[in-house]
Amino acid sequence: MLLLAMDTATPAVTVALHDGESVLAEARQVDARRHGELLLPAVDRVTKEAGRTLDEVTGLVVGVGPGPYTGLRVGLVTAATFASALGVPVHGLCTLDGLAYASGIEEPFVVATDARRKEVYWARYDDFRTRTTDAAVDRPVEIAERLAGLPVVGAGARLYPEAFPDARDPEHQSAAALAALAAERLAAGADFLDPLPMYLRRPDAQVPKNYKVVTPQ
């Protein structure tokens, strides 16, 4: 087994190689505006660091979000392109599940990432392997009382400390954790998500509803 994992659903552009037992190499750079520019060089770095080639990859793992429209699509399209070229499957995982897995927390907690517009993408977990709610998007003030007393993993806790006072690491996504989770699920014969974007709201960019059509005279 050789899994190439990637996630661009958050400001972290992250890539990792996993051989089914351990992470061979990982690259991560936090930059919310350069997903397309950073992803392929990161793939090149991890393959070289691990001393492996793309021809050896047996499967792709990709974070499907939730996340902002443009950044999220970069990872999904890249994973689909590699999978098609290599003739291997793509395994989709919720981005929040990768952050949860990386936390290693064994008690109930929450993962919250930045959804912009003063909102967070979030889900609740019984432990680092077990998500108990669907991913959702809300304003922190609207869910603070419901989640009171629970640790919160991810950038959302640091952006809104008044709503989430018990912030826990990690702050940013790690493809290494995503790959390790995928390897564990593959070994157990568990199901994966389709590699399709998990959008929880409409994109920021919209075509105006009442625009004026100008035609030549």
Side-chain angles (χ1 to χ4, degrees):
M1 179 188 297
L2 186 64
L3 299 175
L4 175 62
M6 61 186 67
D7 197 319
T8 59
T10 72
V13 179
T14 178
V15 178
L17 274 176
H18 196 289
D19 66 1
E21 295 184 358
S22 62
V23 176
L24 303 181
E26 179 186 15
R28 181 173 63 181
Q29 187 166 343
V30 179
D31 191 326
R33 298 180 180 275
R34 299 172 61 210
H35 292 81
E37 180 182 344
L38 296 173
L39 183 57
L40 290 179
V43 172
D44 187 54
R45 284 199 303 277
V46 297
T47 52
K48 287 181 177 177
E49 181 180 334
R52 309 297 285 268
T53 66
L54 288 175
D55 289 341
E56 298 176 77
V57 170
T58 60
L60 274 292
V61 180
V62 64
V64 302
Y69 183 86
T70 304
L72 176 54
R73 290 185 65 85
V74 169
L76 287 164
V77 170
T78 302
T81 301
F82 275 128
S84 178
L86 298 172
V88 299
V90 185
H91 308 295
L93 286 173
C94 176
T95 293
L96 303 180
D97 290 354
L99 281 155
Y101 190 84
S103 76
I105 297 175
E106 296 277 8
E107 61 185 343
F109 70 102
V110 174
V111 173
T113 62
D114 183 16
R116 304 174 186 173
R117 303 186 194 175
K118 298 182 180 180
E119 295 178 328
V120 293
Y121 297 119
W122 69 278
R124 183 169 176 162
Y125 294 78
D126 272 351
D127 57 56
F128 69 98
R129 288 186 176 92
T130 311
R131 177 159 46 87
T132 58
T133 66
D134 290 334
V137 59
D138 288 288
R139 290 182 177 271
V141 66
E142 295 171 350
I143 57 175
E145 184 176 348
R146 194 188 329 171
L147 305 178
L150 294 176
V152 181
V153 169
R158 289 164 175 79
L159 286 170
Y160 304 102
E162 68 286 352
F164 310 124
D166 188 1
R168 303 285 182 92
D169 289 331
E171 179 178 358
H172 296 294
Q173 176 68 308
S174 162
L178 204 68
L181 175 59
E184 189 175 283
R185 291 189 177 182
L186 282 168
D191 293 330
F192 288 85
L193 299 175
D194 291 331
L196 301 172
M198 186 187 294
Y199 299 133
L200 300 184
R201 65 184 184 207
R202 297 179 65 82
D204 292 331
Q206 302 274 340
V207 176
K209 292 181 179 179
N210 299 309
Y211 59 91
K212 184 177 180 180
V213 178
V214 178
T215 55
Q217 296 294 327

